[in-house]
């Protein structure tokens, strides 16, 4: 797919049905997490998850870091394609996870949406303003790594966490 058209939208109550369908598709596919959603997989109650997302938008009381969470919505039909979150800074508690975490719904993977979504998030990062961002991914997640590399991501760290080799890709935004 050439240059898929997406827009980043903040989660809201009127998106509940779409977001729950997005979550269900991940679980039906066998995913254990719903990357980039601020823990959507761990909430049984949508309103509690939404309250959490709205709280951390101002300041996460656990980490002291602001985090913005967005869904990427396909402009042509309004379908939620992916989710991406960005930490406005890093604390020691979340440093291993990097600034940006993202995911694409299983039925829309390998269509260029990950890159389009990251490009929109990098534009937002420049406005915060951040001068560089770190993206973390499992070493085996070639799609996530190639998405970061596409925007100038340089492998800057490799480490083990919970028995999994993780990588950090740093993207300069200046």
């Amino acid at each position: 797919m050439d240059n898929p058209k997406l827009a980043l939208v903040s989660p809201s109550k009127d998106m509940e049905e779409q977001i729950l369908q997005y979550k269900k598709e991940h679980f039906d596919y066998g995913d254990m997490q719903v990357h980039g959603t601020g823990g959507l997989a761990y909430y049984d109650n949508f309103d509690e998850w939404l309250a959490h997302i709205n709280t951390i938008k101002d300041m996460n009381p656990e980490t002291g870091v602001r985090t913005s969470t967005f869904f990427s919505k396909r402009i042509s039909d309004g379908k939620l394609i992916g989710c991406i979150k960005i930490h406005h800074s890093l604390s020691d508690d979340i440093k291993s996870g990097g600034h940006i975490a993202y995911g694409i719904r299983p039925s829309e993977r390998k269509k260029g949406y990950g890159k389009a979504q990251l490009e929109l998030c990098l534009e937002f990062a420049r406005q915060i303003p951040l001068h560089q961002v770190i993206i973390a991914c499992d070493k085996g997640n070639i799609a996530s790594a190639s998405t970061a590399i596409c925007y100038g991501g340089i492998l800057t760290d490799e480490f083990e966490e919970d028995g999994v080799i993780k990588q950090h890709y740093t993207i300069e935004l200046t």
Side-chain angles (χ1 to χ4, degrees):
M1 175 171 277
D2 293 324
N3 196 19
K5 302 288 188 213
L6 300 175
L8 294 183
V9 295
S10 296
S12 62
K13 180 68 175 170
D14 65 338
M15 296 169 58
E16 180 174 4
E17 185 177 325
Q18 283 185 291
I19 291 171
L20 293 177
Q21 288 172 356
Y22 180 87
K23 175 182 174 180
K24 182 180 183 313
E25 182 175 324
H26 279 80
F27 287 166
D28 289 350
Y29 185 75
D31 291 344
M32 300 303 290
Q33 296 184 38
V34 186
H35 293 286
T37 61
L40 178 62
Y42 307 110
Y43 284 86
D44 292 328
N45 181 297
F46 179 84
D47 292 332
E48 289 177 9
W49 170 79
L50 187 60
H52 167 70
I53 292 303
N54 288 329
T55 296
I56 65 175
K57 184 171 33 176
D58 295 324
M59 184 70 61
N60 186 327
E62 295 175 20
T63 64
V65 172
R66 291 182 64 197
T67 303
S68 295
T69 305
F70 303 101
F71 279 89
S72 56
K73 182 182 263 191
R74 188 165 48 208
I75 292 173
S76 65
D77 63 2
K79 183 177 183 179
L80 298 183
I81 300 298
C83 196
I84 193 163
K85 71 176 182 179
I86 181 167
H87 299 300
H88 295 225
S89 61
L90 293 178
S91 67
D92 288 340
D93 293 344
I94 62 172
K95 191 174 283 186
S96 68
H99 289 93
I100 298 175
Y102 47 79
I104 299 294
R105 71 184 316 142
S107 63
E108 300 293 345
R109 292 176 181 162
K110 299 182 181 177
K111 297 179 181 179
Y113 289 120
K115 292 176 183 170
Q117 178 178 253
L118 180 58
E119 182 176 5
L120 292 171
C121 190
L122 293 175
E123 290 173 18
F124 178 81
R126 287 181 183 94
Q127 294 170 16
I128 292 177
L130 290 174
H131 301 291
Q132 73 171 206
V133 294
I134 297 170
I135 295 175
C137 65
D138 293 353
K139 185 174 183 172
N141 189 341
I142 305 302
S144 185
S146 67
T147 298
I149 291 167
C150 177
Y151 287 98
I154 304 292
L155 179 62
T156 53
D157 194 16
E158 194 169 275
F159 57 98
E160 185 177 328
E161 186 176 85
D162 299 326
V164 177
I165 303 296
K166 305 274 188 177
Q167 296 179 319
H168 278 168
Y169 288 87
T170 301
I171 299 174
E172 298 295 331
L173 298 176
T174 54

